[in-house]
Amino acid sequence: MLTQSQIDAIAEAVIQSMKPAPAPNTKNSAGNPSMRRGADLKKDKPVEASEVVPLGASFMMEKSTAGSDSKKRSPANEDGLVDITSPEVKAVPLLDHIEDREGLERMMSRTPARIGVGNCGPRLKTKTMLTLRADHAAARDAVFMDVSQELLDRLGLFTVETQCVDKTQFLTRPDLGRIFPPEGLETIKSKCAHDVDVQIYASDGLSSTAVEANLENILPIITDGLKARGLKVGTPFFVKNGRVAAMDQISEALNATVTCVLLGERPGLATAESMSAYIAYKATVGMPEARRTVVSNIHSRGIPAVEAGAYIVDVIQKILEARASGVELKK
């Protein structure tokens, strides 16, 4: 913030610049035109802020020291542009006056909540508002984009669509995202192994971004871990525009003992990359949701995909031993 003396100096400089220039002193300058022109130019020269305010002064709209720290620490692309949604940038406090910076940074590292963002008068700071809008855009993209065919090809997954014809229908008709058309079920039956211990598949759900970010790391961990325990694992595949309950039809069609879907969760302003694993023992169409076991918050700032994969293997093993899932597993 400016001190009173700095404010007075700025006001005086503005007032002086608005006054008309006095007539030239012909007595002193008539004999030296260059001196007269130099004096006139000096009078007409705009006043620089640095002449009356130290460069280090903090303005309300001026970037704070936290902002300059952010610039030093922020990852930039080849064009020098900084991603304001990156964890490195969000980890930098935007408060102007911090009594315990280390304590605040430690607190910010433990939560995706927007703390330490400061304010500009009664409003959010520009950087905070831009970050909110960028995160909202990322959430919308996560819902409406499709999982890339390149990823599915690398993992060797074929695609089956539910009865939803597009994303708009998927969002407005959740019931159609739980069932497959007859040709879709036939594709599953013809391409997948039957009577397996565990059937795993992936689905975009409400975040294709989550699938892109986690599937390549988590799927091999689960399949390899289950096979290492001597379990028969079914043929993995991908369901487009799928809801959680689509797993019930798949379970019945393949006669799978345990069915597990790796699904993109509804994105928020904290992350658009969160995936969940929904697991059910002998799932049937119309069964209560309480029969599903869920492992959620799978993303880089939650449970890392590799760690979550190993944990899911243990959970599936317990479900097979207990012959139950969901709330029945805890009885």
Side-chain angles (χ1 to χ4, degrees):
M1 297 293 292
L2 296 177
T3 64
Q4 187 60 45
S5 60
Q6 291 171 340
I7 295 174
D8 294 340
I10 292 175
E12 181 64 25
V14 172
I15 293 172
Q16 291 298 328
S17 66
M18 296 175 63
K19 289 182 179 179
N25 188 341
T26 55
K27 182 177 180 181
N28 294 331
S29 59
N32 192 342
S34 61
M35 182 182 294
R36 184 175 67 250
R37 286 195 301 271
D40 292 342
L41 287 173
K42 187 174 182 181
K43 291 174 184 175
D44 295 336
K45 178 184 176 183
V47 178
E48 298 290 340
S50 59
E51 295 178 10
V52 293
V53 182
L55 291 176
S58 174
F59 290 82
M60 257 186 163
M61 292 297 291
E62 184 182 9
K63 61 183 179 182
S64 65
T65 54
S68 54
D69 288 344
S70 167
K71 191 172 183 180
K72 291 178 183 177
R73 297 166 53 183
S74 302
N77 62 14
E78 57 185 9
D79 297 323
L81 299 177
V82 175
D83 180 7
I84 61 174
T85 65
S86 66
E88 293 83 2
V89 174
K90 289 183 177 181
V92 179
L94 299 180
L95 295 176
D96 295 320
H97 306 288
I98 305 174
E99 292 189 11
D100 183 6
R101 174 175 287 273
E102 183 180 345
L104 178 58
E105 290 180 344
R106 189 166 57 249
M107 215 185 338
M108 292 174 67
S109 69
R110 285 169 168 76
T111 175
R114 297 169 197 272
I115 59 177
V117 297
N119 61 288
C120 180
R123 297 175 295 276
L124 294 173
K125 289 191 173 183
T126 301
K127 185 176 180 181
T128 303
M129 179 58 71
L130 291 176
T131 305
L132 281 167
R133 295 188 65 177
D135 286 336
H136 183 256
R140 287 178 59 87
D141 288 344
V143 174
F144 286 100
M145 70 178 287
D146 290 327
V147 174
S148 66
Q149 189 59 45
E150 291 79 4
L151 173 64
L152 301 179
D153 290 342
R154 284 200 305 273
L155 296 174
L157 306 180
F158 67 89
T159 300
V160 179
E161 295 189 38
T162 63
Q163 287 198 354
C164 297
V165 297
D166 54 31
K167 288 292 183 183
T168 300
Q169 191 175 57
F170 172 71
L171 294 173
T172 57
R173 292 289 305 274
D175 57 314
L176 296 182
R178 302 185 185 110
I179 55 179
F180 296 93
E183 59 272 20
L185 276 179
E186 286 303 317
T187 300
I188 293 172
K189 291 178 180 179
S190 63
K191 291 189 175 184
C192 294
H194 292 238
D195 305 316
V196 296
D197 295 320
V198 185
Q199 174 62 52
I200 305 171
Y201 74 96
S203 182
D204 46 8
L206 286 168
S207 177
S208 295
T209 304
V211 177
E212 294 276 355
N214 301 291
L215 187 61
E216 200 162 10
N217 291 324
I218 195 172
L219 183 59
I221 295 294
I222 298 175
T223 49
D224 292 347
L226 293 173
K227 289 178 181 178
R229 301 192 183 198
L231 298 173
K232 183 179 179 182
V233 181
T235 309
F237 57 96
F238 176 73
V239 172
K240 184 176 180 180
N241 294 331
R243 298 279 179 173
V244 174
M247 67 189 299
D248 302 342
Q249 271 197 308
I250 294 172
S251 173
E252 290 186 353
L254 301 178
N255 192 31
T257 305
V258 171
T259 307
C260 173
V261 55
L262 303 171
L263 180 133
E265 285 288 11
R266 180 184 293 105
L269 294 179
T271 181
E273 298 182 353
S274 184
M275 171 183 277
S276 289
Y278 289 84
I279 312 165
Y281 179 79
K282 292 188 176 180
T284 56
V285 175
M287 74 176 195
E289 293 298 311
R291 284 183 54 193
R292 306 188 204 278
T293 295
V294 185
V295 179
S296 60
N297 204 36
I298 303 171
H299 59 92
S300 59
R301 297 192 67 188
I303 307 174
V306 173
E307 181 181 338
Y311 177 69
I312 290 169
V313 172
D314 290 337
V315 171
I316 291 175
Q317 181 74 55
K318 290 179 181 178
I319 288 174
L320 286 168
E321 293 173 354
R323 298 182 179 180
S325 57
V327 295
E328 296 176 357
L329 183 62
K330 298 183 178 182
K331 290 182 180 179

